[in-house]
């Protein structure tokens, strides 16, 4: 949320693959203060990744959730609202229809972030947060955002992002792609490992010393536990290279 905005609370609504989230904040004494947050679980990602479209039923559900959110915003007299989505709507064939319907029924403009903008926002926030942790080495750091529909990786040299790449596979998309295989294949786990090796070997990151690996995403609690990462209050897990078991 832009710190330059003033004049009352502002809200950001994110339409994700597995949840619709809203965060309400305001600028106070030069700092962003969170006032409220809401979240509803959904199954849009499973639908889009298997059929390529948002169904009418899901669209009605989304409209209903957004109505609940805007009703809650009335209590804050919130006029600044930004509605965004990324992978799930980028890959929906009927995204233009969804945008039109949300404008008609909810008077909200859905903004579908391009991959480059999405990753720039994520990386800039990660870098900002980690710079506050003086003990964390940020030079030659590999940043990976593990989403439900894609994985974004970027190499940060201590001053700027020098290279980045999008991998079109995420936790939910992987589950949907390999779900049938788990019921049909006796050697399921070796098959999954081979599948991931093929995908991850296409990541074109310069072969240079990577001093640290930074992973973030909503499904990383298990990864952090397996890797022995120290648990932080922030939803961000920092793994030293010697503790990382891959991206």
């Amino acid at each position: 949320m832009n710190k330059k905005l003033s004049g009352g609370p502002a809200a950001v609504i994110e339409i994700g693959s597995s949840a619709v989230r809203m965060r309400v904040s305001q600028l106070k004494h030069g700092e962003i203060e969170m006032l409220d947050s809401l979240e509803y679980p959904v199954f849009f990602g499973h639908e889009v990744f298997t059929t390529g479209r948002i169904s009418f039923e899901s669209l009605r559900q989304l409209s209903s959730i957004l109505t609940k959110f805007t009703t809650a915003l009335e209590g804050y007299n919130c006029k600044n609202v930004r509605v965004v989505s990324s992978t799930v709507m980028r890959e929906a064939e009927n995204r233009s229809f969804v945008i039109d319907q949300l404008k008609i029924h909810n008077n909200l403009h859905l903004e579908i972030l391009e991959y480059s903008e999405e990753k720039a926002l994520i990386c800039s926030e990660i870098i900002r947060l980690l710079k506050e942790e003086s003990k964390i080495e940020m030079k030659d750091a590999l940043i990976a955002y593990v989403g439900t529909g894609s994985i974004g990786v970027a190499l940060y040299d201590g001053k700027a992002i020098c290279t980045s790449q999008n991998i079109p596979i995420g936790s939910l998309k992987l589950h949907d792609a390999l779900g049938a295989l788990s019921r049909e294949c006796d050697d399921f786990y070796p098959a999954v490992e081979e599948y991931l090796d093929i995908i991850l070997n296409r990541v074109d990151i310069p072969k240079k010393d990577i001093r640290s690996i930074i992973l973030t995403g909503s499904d990383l609690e298990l990864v952090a536990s397996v890797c022995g990462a120290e648990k932080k209050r922030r939803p961000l897990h920092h793994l030293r290279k010697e503790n990382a078991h891959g991206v």
Side-chain angles (χ1 to χ4, degrees), residues 5-135:
L5 290 177
S6 60
V12 175
I13 299 173
E14 178 204 2
I15 301 172
S17 301
S18 58
V20 181
R21 306 176 181 90
M22 180 176 73
R23 178 172 174 174
V24 187
S25 304
Q26 68 178 2
L27 190 63
K28 186 175 182 180
H29 304 305
E31 297 293 331
I32 295 177
E33 177 186 57
M34 187 173 72
L35 301 177
D36 199 0
S37 63
L38 295 172
E39 179 173 331
Y40 280 85
V42 294
F43 299 96
F44 301 155
H46 173 74
E47 187 172 71
V48 171
F49 301 150
T50 54
T51 70
R53 300 175 66 84
I54 293 284
S55 67
F56 287 107
E57 181 180 352
S58 292
L59 182 55
R60 285 194 294 268
Q61 180 190 15
L62 175 57
S63 180
S64 176
I65 292 172
L66 293 177
T67 297
K68 291 181 175 68
F69 283 177
T70 51
T71 299
L73 290 176
E74 292 176 0
Y76 293 99
N77 193 27
C78 182
K79 304 299 183 183
N80 298 315
V81 183
R82 186 181 185 188
V83 185
V84 299
S85 186
S86 54
T87 303
V88 67
M89 287 298 173
R90 281 201 303 264
E91 298 192 9
E93 297 172 0
N94 59 338
R95 55 189 174 274
S96 296
F97 177 74
V98 173
I99 292 174
D100 289 342
Q101 291 301 301
L102 294 184
K103 182 63 177 177
I104 293 171
H105 295 289
N106 298 91
N107 195 29
L108 292 172
H109 172 66
L110 171 59
E111 179 183 355
I112 301 177
L113 301 178
E114 295 297 330
Y115 161 73
S116 57
E117 183 179 2
E118 178 191 8
K119 299 317 177 197
L121 290 170
I122 292 171
C123 287
S124 62
E125 183 64 9
I126 290 173
I127 293 169
R128 183 188 71 81
L129 289 173
L130 290 179
K131 280 185 175 180
E132 297 177 2
E133 304 285 346
S134 58
K135 295 182 180 180

Side-chain angles (χ1 to χ4, degrees), residues 174 177-178 180-199:
L174 181 65
L178 300 178
L181 183 63
S182 66
R183 298 185 294 270
E184 301 170 359
C185 181
D186 294 332
D187 299 323
F188 175 67
Y189 292 106
V192 171
E193 186 175 355
E194 182 179 352
Y195 178 75
L196 291 176
D197 282 343
I198 293 173
I199 293 176

Side-chain angles (χ1 to χ4, degrees), residues 147-151 167-171 173-175 177 195-196 199-200:
T148 54
S150 66
I151 300 174
I167 306 170
I169 193 72
S171 58
K173 190 180 290 186
L174 181 65
H175 174 273
Y195 178 75
L196 291 176
I199 293 176
L200 296 178

